Amino acid sequence: MDPKAFQELNKAGGAESVLEDCAEPAQPGLNTRANRMQLTSEKLPEDPLYTSLFQDAARNYSLLQWTKDKTDRYSHANLVDQALQLLKERIVRGDAMAYFLRGQLYFEEEKGVEYMKKIVDSPCPKARHLQFAAAYNLGRAYYEGKGINRSIEDAERLWLFAADNGNPKASVKAQSMLGLYYSTKEPKELEKAFYWHSEACGNGNLESQGALGLMYFYGHGIQQDTEAALYCLREAAERGNVYAQGNLVEYYYNMKFFTKCVAFSKRVADYDEEQDIPTIAQVTDCLPEFISRGMAMASFYHARCLQLGLGTTKDEATAKQYYSKACRLDPALADELHSLLIHQRI
């Protein structure tokens, strides 16, 4: 897939920093992580003054991932040590941003909770720009029980701080995550979910734009409005939101726009599940599980059109291949759609 088909999101202004003093924390004990939603970390605010530092650290981190199973010289542990040494040298030279990068690296290694806490609790006003990203990441750690005891309440508290009442210079990712959190927790708080998805969408978040489309479509947290729903879904789909694309495929099928459904569903269903999902997730900043779900929806409906010859030439052999792909991508969704098929609702 050509990554140029997707737009980069969440561009931030310059980051000022400033942890003048940061003692080396003890490494917290690690907890076994349950099978929960895999959240992604907040991106570091961009600043030309720190571009070189960020690229060096990112290059080291990417390299250690690529060479994880190589020789001892290029082992995962050795490369982490090299990255930490690089950041330590920058810290000694007075580069305060290196504190944040070290905490981010430790966080990805499940050892950085204390670093993120130091950033969040820093009294210095200039640390504010980093605090939002650190608070989102720390909330993620609490939500997943990653490096700390799991606490949904602390995750919510930190995300609310990071979201900063919808401030576009705060963590837009936290705003979007609050929308997802309030729409999935029990009991659901759909009006809050709609509010936070609206804030995040207004600040450019692609995942929330697709979520708003579905909330309008089903009347969740807001009065049902099909026109507004389609507007949000189409805009999100054009910007690369695969889950929005999958839901549009379903809409075209249900409206019996079969020719349009076939053409659109094939494009989405033909994404490579191993290579494209990570690429799309990185470029669009959407959660991989929703990307998989969108691809599964498109695969299932494309298979159904092929099976029945709706909007295309009947081809049962190829239909089976797409049904199988839907099952691989999202077994629960495929089972749900298959149940609807059996009851002749599809």
Side-chain angles (χ1 to χ4, degrees), residues 196-243:
W196 282 111
H197 277 313
S198 296
E199 292 297 307
C201 178
N203 291 328
N205 186 273
L206 179 54
E207 191 142 58
S208 282
Q209 187 173 35
L212 279 181
L214 292 175
M215 297 189 82
Y216 273 120
F217 196 84
Y218 294 107
H220 290 167
I222 191 67
Q223 184 175 352
Q224 188 174 18
D225 187 336
T226 302
E227 184 177 350
L230 291 175
Y231 176 82
C232 287
L233 288 173
R234 284 169 177 156
E235 286 285 314
E238 288 177 5
R239 294 174 60 200
N241 185 318
V242 178
Y243 190 45

Side-chain angles (χ1 to χ4, degrees), residues 83-322:
L84 291 174
Q85 182 61 35
L86 169 68
L87 292 172
K88 182 177 180 180
E89 292 171 2
R90 303 270 180 153
I91 290 171
V92 170
R93 293 201 295 267
D95 194 337
M97 180 64 77
Y99 282 114
F100 185 97
L101 289 172
R102 182 168 62 173
Q104 185 75 17
L105 178 58
Y106 273 151
F107 181 78
E108 296 298 341
E109 290 295 303
E110 301 190 10
K111 292 182 281 189
V113 169
E114 293 303 318
Y115 278 103
M116 290 299 168
K117 283 183 177 179
K118 283 182 177 292
I119 296 168
V120 171
D121 295 336
S122 172
C124 182
K126 292 184 179 180
R128 186 84 171 160
H129 201 70
L130 294 180
Q131 285 176 322
F132 295 132
Y136 168 79
N137 289 338
L138 188 57
R140 171 194 167 198
Y142 274 111
Y143 184 84
E144 295 183 342
K146 187 175 183 179
I148 198 168
N149 290 333
R150 188 172 191 238
S151 172
I152 301 301
E153 293 76 16
D154 283 325
E156 179 184 7
R157 172 181 58 81
L158 285 158
W159 286 338
L160 286 168
F161 170 79
D164 196 34
N165 296 315
N167 177 2
K169 294 183 179 180
S171 172
V172 177
K173 201 176 188 73
Q175 296 162 13
S176 180
M177 188 53 61
L178 284 168
L180 180 61
Y181 168 71
Y182 286 123
S183 64
T184 55
K185 69 186 288 285
E186 292 297 340
K188 294 179 174 63
E189 297 183 66
L190 295 178
E191 290 185 0
K192 285 185 178 181
F194 182 84
Y195 169 80
W196 282 111
H197 277 313
S198 296
E199 292 297 307
C201 178
N203 291 328
N205 186 273
L206 179 54
E207 191 142 58
S208 282
Q209 187 173 35
L212 279 181
L214 292 175
M215 297 189 82
Y216 273 120
F217 196 84
Y218 294 107
H220 290 167
I222 191 67
Q223 184 175 352
Q224 188 174 18
D225 187 336
T226 302
E227 184 177 350
L230 291 175
Y231 176 82
C232 287
L233 288 173
R234 284 169 177 156
E235 286 285 314
E238 288 177 5
R239 294 174 60 200
N241 185 318
V242 178
Y243 190 45
Q245 293 169 2
N247 278 278
L248 281 176
V249 167
E250 183 175 62
Y251 172 77
Y252 294 145
Y253 182 92
N254 290 333
M255 294 300 292
K256 303 188 187 304
F257 301 153
F258 296 124
T259 301
K260 192 169 188 176
C261 178
V262 168
F264 194 37
S265 64
K266 178 171 173 51
R267 186 176 60 165
V268 180
D270 282 347
Y271 290 147
D272 185 286
E273 55 199 285
E274 293 186 0
Q275 296 183 9
D276 288 344
I277 290 177
T279 300
I280 295 170
Q282 181 179 12
V283 176
T284 65
D285 213 16
C286 291
L287 294 172
E289 67 183 81
F290 285 104
I291 298 171
S292 296
R293 191 173 179 86
M295 290 169 58
M297 292 177 74
S299 298
F300 189 93
Y301 283 104
H302 190 66
R304 186 62 173 162
C305 288
L306 287 168
Q307 181 185 14
L308 300 179
L310 301 174
T312 187
T313 303
K314 187 173 182 179
D315 187 342
E316 294 188 1
T318 304
K320 289 181 180 179
Q321 296 175 13
Y322 282 104

